[in-house]
Amino acid sequence: MREVAILGIGQTPVAEHWDKSIKELAGTAIFAALNDAQRNSAEALFIGNMLSGLLSKQENLGGLISDWIGLPGIEAEKVEAACGSGAAAFRAGLIAVSSGEVDTALVVGVEKMTESLPIETTEALATAADADYESAQGLSFVAINALVMQIYLHTYGWKHTDFAPFSINAHANALHNPYARLHEKITEKDYITARMVSEPINLLDASPIGDGAAAVLLVPADSITINDTRIIKVISSASATDTIAIHNRKDPLWLSAAEKSAKKAYDQAGLEPNDIDFFELHDAFSIMSVLSLEACGFTDRGNGPRLGLDGNITLNGKIPITTRGGLKARGHPVGATGMYQIVEAVQQLRGEGDPTQVLDARIGMTQNIGGSGATIITHILKVQ
Amino acid sequence: MREVAILGIGQTPVAEHWDKSIKELAGTAIFAALNDAQRNSAEALFIGNMLSGLLSKQENLGGLISDWIGLPGIEAEKVEAACGSGAAAFRAGLIAVSSGEVDTALVVGVEKMTESLPIETTEALATAADADYESAQGLSFVAINALVMQIYLHTYGWKHTDFAPFSINAHANALHNPYARLHEKITEKDYITARMVSEPINLLDASPIGDGAAAVLLVPADSITINDTRIIKVISSASATDTIAIHNRKDPLWLSAAEKSAKKAYDQAGLEPNDIDFFELHDAFSIMSVLSLEACGFTDRGNGPRLGLDGNITLNGKIPITTRGGLKARGHPVGATGMYQIVEAVQQLRGEGDPTQVLDARIGMTQNIGGSGATIITHILKVQ
């Protein structure tokens, strides 16, 4: 298996793109990535997407998008793992290039969610949960996460307010990200008084949906001859699953798939949590940030909120997270999110993260979650 | 890249499975494949599926099915390429094993289509076509294929009756396949008098939908120590695309993605069409059989019906096709179809195809199509 590098990155703003269809969103991000890489084609295209069938009445995105970007004929397919679809597609593209099956691969995560009625979008998102044992019982996706947060507060004795730093940090970082959906500085008071969605999850615990696409061009690392500082290698990739329904888990407060995929990723790179300079985690809800940080070994079980309260998740903290706004403020176009994380990690590793640059960022980790912890995919990137 | 072999196969009958959910269908096929391989687990699971979100309100099949089969924690994802999803998932599993990323991979194609209203299923299938330029204009999937068949009849001067052998052959072979949806011997008269669906496509030109699942276990070829005659190697795998909308093609009668992927597959194995002992092609409609045979080099352009009329597609013909009933009579549970083709090819290569065994079958080709030729994936299997 040869080393793979990310040569080009591209993204659209996360927004309500009323003027762009799903193929146009994907194309915008792909052209930006090709332009960034100074290339004009690739051998294969991997697409991360969850909802195109349900919300755009369009499957077969491989044929659609490869044609739209002017590369009809290339291999192309869609990979779906609910909100983890972006990273799942990235991993498929990575294996295709690292194995030598292809020499260049485009990966794009794309989602179009805001043209539908809110109830349609909510129903579509519920397909990430267990249709028989969760959705059919009336549990929306946010309700599932609210139950988990309730148990967490009860079990470990934290107050809801203790989660405020996650939202405040994400919003602060997004202020400077032109691609972010929300550019609103928030305070602890805003967090406390935000409108309730599904108790205890309020509007500032939950990430906003959106339309958007993010893309990369993958090539063998040894094929790159440009300036060394721009060679960003993928040094780990691991995927794991857990039961889809949270009631089936021995411990609903432990993301075992995060632990498994992070452990594999650390092992592949010979690293441990202390070596990670920043972590683009899957903060679909603030409770998920906490559970991810715990399962990935950045703090002890039940201690996640402490990282926020002690200032350790900010840009100059022990483990900076959501450095470009995270799902919470950059926005969460579900099947695209995993690719936004990758693109943002590359920005940091290239030193292009101003003014939210993490100082001396050499090693970044991304983690994308499908469902309430059912599919979790971890990548570690490193600048050469 | 190491050689990969198919160690176990499993399938459910294609039928109306009112008593089985999508995970139960997948599980039944997977358990059969594991049992056949005398194994009880695998490192990864690749799922080919098109319609679970639209028709079962369930995405995130990776988490769902890995949990259901008692392997929570393993890597799992869904791959979608419309009706080509099965082969797309197979190819993903193949690359994962051949690259060494995993040592064992389960691949399952699964679809549940008959619990929905017919109009819902028709609408869902239309997502394989271009939503903006085909489906939104009222073109159903069968109507698109009917347009293609109209042009073919007009261009090359064939009569509709000349396509009868494809349907008759498929139905004759399915009679002996216990997993086939239709067990009805048909005659030329039946074909001529069949009820019209979308002119010139009648009921005996079109494949029936159905519920079903088919699965395999993939392992490195050099890890197998059992009886040599059962080592079935995957010697070629190639995927290509074409424009999703047929009006965008220079020649709507030429499956350029079939030509591309077949050529790649032949080149990988150092073979040519003459070397193929049988061909499990994608006969969603009889016109597609003809176009596939032409694009893959089994006959000249415009000459496809001649292969049927001359008896060359039957079990002892020049190029036997649909040896277990094909999509036409085994049935077409769309995202599962590509995996049924693989499973059936393995049956032939093992010599387990009685009484529709192709004599001395050593090399078999499968070809799975997503959309009206938009995504086409070709595999060649060989018995050691």
Side-chain angles (χ1 to χ4, degrees), chain B residues 99-185:
Chain B
S99 67
E101 185 69 23
V102 298
D103 282 328
T104 51
L106 283 162
V107 186
V108 65
V110 61
E111 205 73 75
K112 185 163 176 64
M113 306 174 73
T114 69
E115 209 170 46
S116 320
L117 297 173
I119 182 67
E120 292 171 338
T121 309
T122 298
E123 281 179 4
L125 287 170
T127 64
D130 188 306
D132 296 333
Y133 293 102
E134 294 181 326
S135 319
Q137 314 307 321
L139 267 179
S140 70
F141 203 66
V142 58
I144 292 170
N145 283 273
L147 289 175
V148 174
M149 193 171 186
Q150 288 279 22
I151 307 173
Y152 192 92
L153 296 177
H154 175 76
T155 304
Y156 297 118
W158 294 102
K159 301 187 302 295
H160 177 257
T161 323
D162 297 329
F163 286 72
F166 294 94
S167 190
I168 293 169
N169 174 62
H171 276 271
N173 290 337
L175 273 181
H176 310 285
N177 178 1
Y179 299 100
R181 172 126 203 218
L182 303 177
H183 296 105
E184 295 166 29
K185 192 173 172 61

Side-chain angles (χ1 to χ4, degrees), chain A residues 1 53-54 57-60 66-67 73-75 78-80 91 99 101 127-129 131 240-241 243-244 370-371 375, chain B residues 1 53-54 57-60 66-67 73-75 78-80 82 91 99 101 127-129 131 240-241 243-244 370-371 375:
Chain A
M1 301 278 272
L54 284 158
K57 307 299 176 203
Q58 182 70 69
E59 293 290 358
N60 213 1
S66 56
D67 177 22
I74 66 167
E75 170 169 13
K78 163 174 162 172
V79 182
E80 189 275 328
R91 181 162 157 74
S99 67
E101 185 69 22
T127 64
T241 52
T243 71
I244 187 166
T375 308
Chain B
M1 302 277 273
L54 284 159
K57 306 300 175 203
Q58 181 71 70
E59 293 289 358
N60 214 1
S66 56
D67 178 22
I74 65 166
E75 171 170 12
K78 163 175 163 173
V79 182
E80 189 274 327
R91 181 163 157 73
S99 67
E101 185 69 23
T127 64
T241 51
T243 70
I244 187 167
T375 308

Side-chain angles (χ1 to χ4, degrees), chain A residues 93-375:
Chain A
L94 180 71
I95 295 173
V97 177
S98 67
S99 67
E101 185 69 22
V102 297
D103 282 328
T104 52
L106 283 161
V107 186
V108 65
V110 62
E111 205 73 76
K112 186 163 177 64
M113 306 175 71
T114 68
E115 208 171 45
S116 320
L117 296 173
I119 182 67
E120 292 172 338
T121 308
T122 298
E123 281 179 4
L125 287 171
T127 64
D130 190 305
D132 295 334
Y133 293 102
E134 294 182 327
S135 319
Q137 314 307 321
L139 265 180
S140 70
F141 203 68
V142 58
I144 292 171
N145 283 274
L147 290 174
V148 174
M149 194 171 184
Q150 288 279 21
I151 308 172
Y152 191 93
L153 296 176
H154 175 77
T155 304
Y156 297 118
W158 295 100
K159 301 187 302 295
H160 177 257
T161 323
D162 297 328
F163 286 72
F166 293 94
S167 190
I168 293 169
N169 174 62
H171 276 271
N173 290 336
L175 273 181
H176 309 285
N177 178 1
Y179 300 99
R181 171 128 203 216
L182 303 178
H183 296 105
E184 294 166 29
K185 191 173 173 62
I186 66 159
T187 64
E188 190 179 42
K189 187 181 169 200
D190 295 328
Y191 179 80
I192 294 168
T193 58
R195 189 152 54 88
M196 191 55 65
V197 180
S198 181
E199 200 174 346
I201 290 180
N202 70 24
L203 209 56
L204 289 178
D205 286 303
S207 56
I209 63 163
D211 310 327
V216 301
L217 180 71
L218 296 174
V219 298
D222 61 12
S223 73
I224 306 182
T225 52
I226 59 170
N227 187 336
D228 275 350
T229 60
R230 283 174 51 108
I231 298 187
I232 310 298
K233 289 184 182 172
V234 187
I235 59 172
S236 296
S237 173
S239 178
T241 52
D242 196 354
T243 71
I244 187 166
I246 55 168
H247 67 255
N248 276 339
R249 299 184 192 160
K250 282 185 191 158
D251 181 355
L253 298 182
W254 189 248
L255 294 179
S256 70
E259 181 188 24
K260 281 194 184 96
S261 74
K263 184 177 184 317
K264 274 194 216 173
Y266 294 142
D267 288 351
Q268 283 169 25
L271 298 173
E272 49 186 56
N274 270 338
D275 299 314
I276 306 298
D277 295 323
F278 65 94
F279 180 23
E280 294 301 335
L281 51 64
H282 192 93
D283 58 326
F285 302 98
S286 50
I287 180 66
M288 292 306 278
S289 299
V290 163
L291 296 183
S292 296
L293 286 163
E294 294 177 9
C296 296
F298 291 103
T299 186
D300 295 335
R301 185 187 291 243
N303 205 38
R306 175 58 51 206
L307 280 174
L309 294 167
D310 288 352
N312 276 321
I313 58 167
T314 56
L315 293 173
N316 50 8
K318 186 177 142 200
I319 181 67
I321 64 170
T322 58
T323 67
R324 310 290 288 162
L327 282 62
K328 177 66 200 79
R330 174 242 296 130
H332 185 25
V334 291
T337 287
M339 287 305 301
Y340 274 96
Q341 294 176 317
I342 298 280
V343 165
E344 291 161 357
V346 171
Q347 290 181 316
Q348 285 289 355
L349 295 170
R350 284 181 177 179
E352 298 173 354
D354 253 356
T356 61
Q357 178 67 45
V358 175
L359 277 184
D360 300 324
R362 306 276 307 165
I363 299 175
M365 186 158 100
T366 65
Q367 188 170 73
N368 194 197
I369 301 184
S372 307
T375 308

